[in-house]
Amino acid sequence: GQLEGTSLPLFFGWFLLSPAKEKICCTSMDFLKTLDTLEAFKKHLNDFTQEADKEVDLEQYFKSKGPLHCTTKFCNYGKEDGAKEYAQNPAVREFYGSVSELSLSALFVTPRTVGASVALTEEQLLLWPADAEKEVEGASSLPLGSRAHVTLGCAEGVEPVQTGLDLLEILAVQQGGQKGELVEEMELGSLSYYGEGRWLLSLREPIRTPACFSSVYG
Ligand code: A2P
């Protein structure tokens, strides 16, 4: 019937709780503010703007969307492959509504998105779909959970789904043996450049935040 078709959410994920959530927003803003003042960033500015000599204000360049979260399964109300199976997974049912700690291990920036990568625990991996890493060429052999991330902002006209794809792309480049050009030791960690506007800040100390496993019907 009509009701059955509406019983699956837009997506499942971990939703970051306050006040850690606000702190992560601040950390991300501070990082963007520092990044666009670095000489190394200015040297590669044409990754972000075609206009010569133009400055880029990264804080304005990226717009944040909705509550901070780490998507596990995008269901699109049941239209995505495996949505129903995911919702029926015993682990999903068991952990639904529970709070656990997410560990953010890196911040990354591309001309399209800014995000934080999430290092999932064994228990959290029980909620991770087996095919999440299969979407990007060269990324399918990455460990399960590699795509886990929090979208912190998107450039104009870019959909948040892009953030995970950008992360997988950086990880695929890393796996291919390219270390990235170590650009700077920052207070938060080491900043590396992977070409084509791709920047990764490996955090010295992971940022930990409580998060609730739930879903959005929106
Ligand atoms: P992300 O998890 O990278 O932030 P939207 O607002 O576009 O409907 O998306 C809702 C959430 O689901 C967003 O958080 C988004 O990206 C994620 N998402 C959207 N489309 C997909 C997809 N095809 N695969 C995985 N995640 C998706």
Side-chain angles (χ1 to χ4, degrees):
Q2 221 177 2
L3 274 177
E4 276 163 41
T6 59
S7 60
L8 287 167
L10 180 59
F11 66 94
F12 286 90
W14 291 283
F15 293 81
L16 277 60
L17 302 183
S18 296
K21 184 169 68 177
E22 284 76 21
K23 194 168 161 251
I24 289 160
C25 279
C26 288
T27 304
S28 144
M29 283 298 184
D30 286 345
F31 170 54
L32 293 179
K33 209 184 286 181
T34 309
L35 182 61
D36 67 13
T37 63
L38 297 179
E39 281 312 314
F41 183 81
K42 289 183 184 163
K43 198 171 93 189
H44 296 290
L45 203 62
N46 57 0
D47 295 331
F48 285 79
T49 173
Q50 305 313 320
E51 293 167 61
D53 302 326
K54 199 173 171 235
E55 301 224 328
V56 172
D57 180 349
L58 290 178
E59 283 176 281
Q60 303 283 325
Y61 184 91
F62 294 111
K63 311 279 178 235
S64 61
K65 292 180 183 170
L68 288 191
H69 66 275
C70 172
T71 303
T72 53
K73 176 70 184 171
F74 181 70
C75 295
N76 200 13
Y77 309 107
K79 284 187 233 123
E80 285 293 302
D81 281 349
K84 194 167 163 219
E85 292 73 12
Y86 182 85
Q88 288 171 349
N89 175 340
V92 169
R93 288 168 169 246
E94 182 187 339
F95 288 107
Y96 196 84
S98 72
V99 172
S100 67
E101 190 180 72
L102 287 186
S103 174
L104 312 187
S105 51
L107 300 178
F108 57 94
V109 172
T110 76
R112 299 165 295 279
T113 64
V114 51
S117 62
V118 179
L120 299 175
T121 63
E122 291 283 318
E123 193 174 85
Q124 287 165 343
L125 280 170
L126 297 173
L127 302 170
W128 195 252
D131 59 356
E133 279 75 29
K134 305 279 181 273
E135 243 177 275
V136 164
E137 208 179 325
S140 56
S141 63
L142 289 169
L144 193 72
S146 297
R147 184 178 179 166
H149 69 279
V150 175
T151 298
L152 298 168
C154 295
E156 198 160 309
V158 175
E159 294 296 324
V161 62
Q162 187 61 45
T163 319
L165 306 178
D166 284 357
L167 173 59
L168 286 178
E169 212 183 277
I170 293 172
L171 298 177
V173 172
Q174 273 182 346
Q175 200 188 34
Q178 193 192 315
K179 272 189 137 177
E181 171 195 338
L182 178 64
V183 167
E184 189 135 335
E185 290 296 339
M186 299 174 73
E187 207 177 302
L188 285 170
S190 3
L191 177 70
S192 298
Y193 180 63
Y194 287 90
E196 298 172 30
R198 297 171 295 196
W199 299 86
L200 182 89
L201 177 73
S202 271
L203 296 172
R204 219 175 293 289
E205 290 286 331
I207 302 173
R208 296 175 203 286
T209 170
C212 179
F213 181 65
S214 180
S215 59
V216 162
Y217 284 82

